[in-house]
Structures are given as structure tokens and as C-alpha cells.
Amino acid sequence: NWPSNGKIEFRNVDMCYRDGPLVLKQVCFTVEGKEKVGFCGRTGCGKSSTMVSLFRIEELTAGQILIDDIDIATIPLNTLRSNLCIIPQDPVMFSASIRFNLDPFYLSVDAALWGVLDSVGMKEFIQTLPGGLGLEELVAEGGDNFSAGQRQLICIARALLRKPKILVMDEATASIDMETDALIQRMVRERFKDCTVLTIAHRLDTIFDSDKIAVLDAGKLVEYESAKNLLNIPKGSFKLLWDRHQSEHK
């Protein structure tokens, strides 16, 4: 039953890659269960490294990460990673059936698969594919018979099927158009409302509606508040990023 709540705590986390310099430095924050938190900052600030440490792809140099009050260093890797869900920038699609892409371990019935496809708006499209095979329709290598947005929607359907308590979106909408980005963000808010969601985004619009925004700079957490409160900080890090973002997208 772990995690049952989805609370995440970073306590004075230091992390480096192999023997390199620290890429996270004394990072401290708490994400309550079901909260939606966006991560932003300049390239190389430590956004993705935060998620690398959460999945224990690299072990910590110092500090602790707790999920529901349990130190993840004490959790078997397979147990940890199977209870976290990630939607990456480049959606992973296998050269196999749609069924396999949604449910590679064949744990769900057809009704559940069609249900999550319907939830992400892909049911009708798949039912009308020229092969007429439904869930047995084959996905081309790299998912080339689907658009980038459709591939991402199938990855979201895969995540929905797993019913995770913690979802990580790592630049998940960076390679799709703004309209599809808005659709996916709305869908995540609706379908994962009972899930803790951590979103790394280059487009600040993507995370603006998050409960809180974590701003990183040179491996340190420099701000952690709602977007509205952060914009009220004169010369604040998020305000500077937002003003630059707005001027570039006029």
C-alpha cells in the first residue's frame, strides 16, 4: 500500500554525478500528498537532477528523500520505481500492439484499456484506424504512425492505468504545440487530481497554475511558493524568469 498519500520530502539533499561537482546543494522542500508542484530555472540549474535523485538513478551524497515518511534509500529499487510514474519529454512507444504499449504485463481487462483511452481522447481515433484491429493495432517503430501529441496522450493513458500516487512529468510537453500542451495540462489536472504531480517545464505557462513552484539556481532551491506570491517578490528569481518569458512570447 506504499505510498498511500504521496507526500515527498527532500531534506538537505546533495547529489553529484559520479565524482563530479555537486549538482544539488542542500535542497529542502516538502510536497504534500495530491499537491501539484512545478520546477523551473535556467538550463543546468538542477531541475532534472531532482528527479534523477527521486528515482535513485544517482545516489545522494548527503541528505534524505522521504516518501510518506519512509527514506527511499531503504526501499528496494524495483519497489521504488514501480510505485513512481514518469511521463518523459520523448514518449516511449514500443513496436508492438496498442494493448502492449498500454499494459505490457497484461494486468488489465479490455474495458479498462478502452476506458483510459477514452479519458485521454484517443478511443475514437484508435477505433477508426484503417487496420480495424482496435487494441491489437500495431504501433510503428518509434510510434511513427502517431503524432507527437498522440504518443504523449497514449503515455498518459498508460500512466492512468497504473493509478499512481506520484507522477513526474519531465518536459513532457516540450516538443508539442501550445494547444496540445494546454490540452494535456488540463487533462493531467482532471485525471490525476488525487495524485501528487511534479512537473519540470521549460514553458512557464505549463506550470503557472501549480499549487507551488520550485525555482532552482545552480543546484540550490531559491524560491518555493505559488506563482502569484512569487510574482509579488521584486527582483525575485521567478519574476525575472516570467518577465523574460513574457517578453519572448509577445
Side-chain angles (χ1 to χ4, degrees), residues 146-166:
F146 294 91
S147 70
Q150 288 171 332
R151 291 197 296 272
Q152 205 59 287
L153 288 170
I154 289 176
C155 283
I156 292 172
R158 183 193 299 155
L160 273 172
L161 196 64
R162 292 181 55 194
K163 299 177 181 174
K165 280 295 178 183
I166 296 173

Side-chain angles (χ1 to χ4, degrees), residues 125-169:
F125 176 81
I126 286 169
Q127 286 178 328
T128 56
L129 285 170
L133 297 174
L135 294 171
E136 304 309 323
E137 196 79 43
L138 290 178
V139 175
E141 186 173 350
D144 286 347
N145 50 343
F146 294 91
S147 70
Q150 288 171 332
R151 291 197 296 272
Q152 205 59 287
L153 288 170
I154 289 176
C155 283
I156 292 172
R158 183 193 299 155
L160 273 172
L161 196 64
R162 292 181 55 194
K163 299 177 181 174
K165 280 295 178 183
I166 296 173
L167 173 69
V168 174
M169 298 186 67

Side-chain angles (χ1 to χ4, degrees), residues 26-66:
Q26 294 293 291
V27 173
C28 285
F29 63 86
T30 298
V31 182
E32 298 297 338
K34 302 183 183 180
E35 269 194 326
K36 312 297 183 269
V37 175
F39 288 76
C40 66
R42 296 182 178 87
T43 302
C45 68
K47 301 186 296 292
S48 292
S49 296
T50 306
M51 303 312 154
V52 164
S53 61
L54 182 64
F55 281 83
R56 283 181 56 198
I57 296 168
E58 289 284 349
E59 297 294 346
L60 304 185
T61 306
Q64 291 177 300
I65 299 173
L66 287 80

Side-chain angles (χ1 to χ4, degrees), residues 16-219:
C16 65
Y17 293 99
R18 297 187 181 177
D19 297 323
L22 290 177
V23 291
L24 294 178
K25 305 166 188 174
Q26 294 293 291
V27 173
C28 285
F29 63 86
T30 298
V31 182
E32 298 297 338
K34 302 183 183 180
E35 269 194 326
K36 312 297 183 269
V37 175
F39 288 76
C40 66
R42 296 182 178 87
T43 302
C45 68
K47 301 186 296 292
S48 292
S49 296
T50 306
M51 303 312 154
V52 164
S53 61
L54 182 64
F55 281 83
R56 283 181 56 198
I57 296 168
E58 289 284 349
E59 297 294 346
L60 304 185
T61 306
Q64 291 177 300
I65 299 173
L66 287 80
I67 295 178
D68 283 1
D69 301 318
I70 295 177
D71 187 341
I72 64 170
T74 67
I75 301 289
L77 266 182
N78 188 54
T79 303
L80 171 67
R81 292 175 183 170
S82 64
N83 283 284
L84 301 174
C85 200
I86 185 166
I87 300 174
Q89 179 174 348
D90 298 314
V92 178
M93 298 284 282
F94 304 100
S95 301
S97 66
I98 290 168
R99 179 192 302 279
F100 181 86
N101 273 277
L102 289 173
D103 182 26
F105 300 107
Y106 299 98
L107 299 174
S108 301
V109 297
D110 285 14
L113 301 182
W114 284 118
V116 293
L117 288 171
D118 192 29
S119 293
V120 300
M122 286 292 289
K123 179 179 178 181
E124 186 176 342
F125 176 81
I126 286 169
Q127 286 178 328
T128 56
L129 285 170
L133 297 174
L135 294 171
E136 304 309 323
E137 196 79 43
L138 290 178
V139 175
E141 186 173 350
D144 286 347
N145 50 343
F146 294 91
S147 70
Q150 288 171 332
R151 291 197 296 272
Q152 205 59 287
L153 288 170
I154 289 176
C155 283
I156 292 172
R158 183 193 299 155
L160 273 172
L161 196 64
R162 292 181 55 194
K163 299 177 181 174
K165 280 295 178 183
I166 296 173
L167 173 69
V168 174
M169 298 186 67
D170 190 358
E171 300 276 15
T173 56
S175 57
I176 57 182
D177 61 84
M178 297 289 282
E179 186 178 344
T180 310
D181 183 355
L183 166 71
I184 288 176
Q185 295 308 322
R186 186 170 66 251
M187 192 172 300
V188 167
R189 281 195 294 273
E190 292 170 0
R191 304 298 175 184
F192 294 96
K193 63 179 182 295
D194 293 327
C195 175
T196 304
V197 181
L198 310 181
T199 304
I200 296 175
H202 179 68
R203 296 173 181 161
L204 295 183
D205 295 321
T206 300
I207 59 171
F208 192 82
D209 291 335
S210 301
D211 297 317
K212 290 178 185 171
I213 291 177
V215 186
L216 288 107
D217 185 20

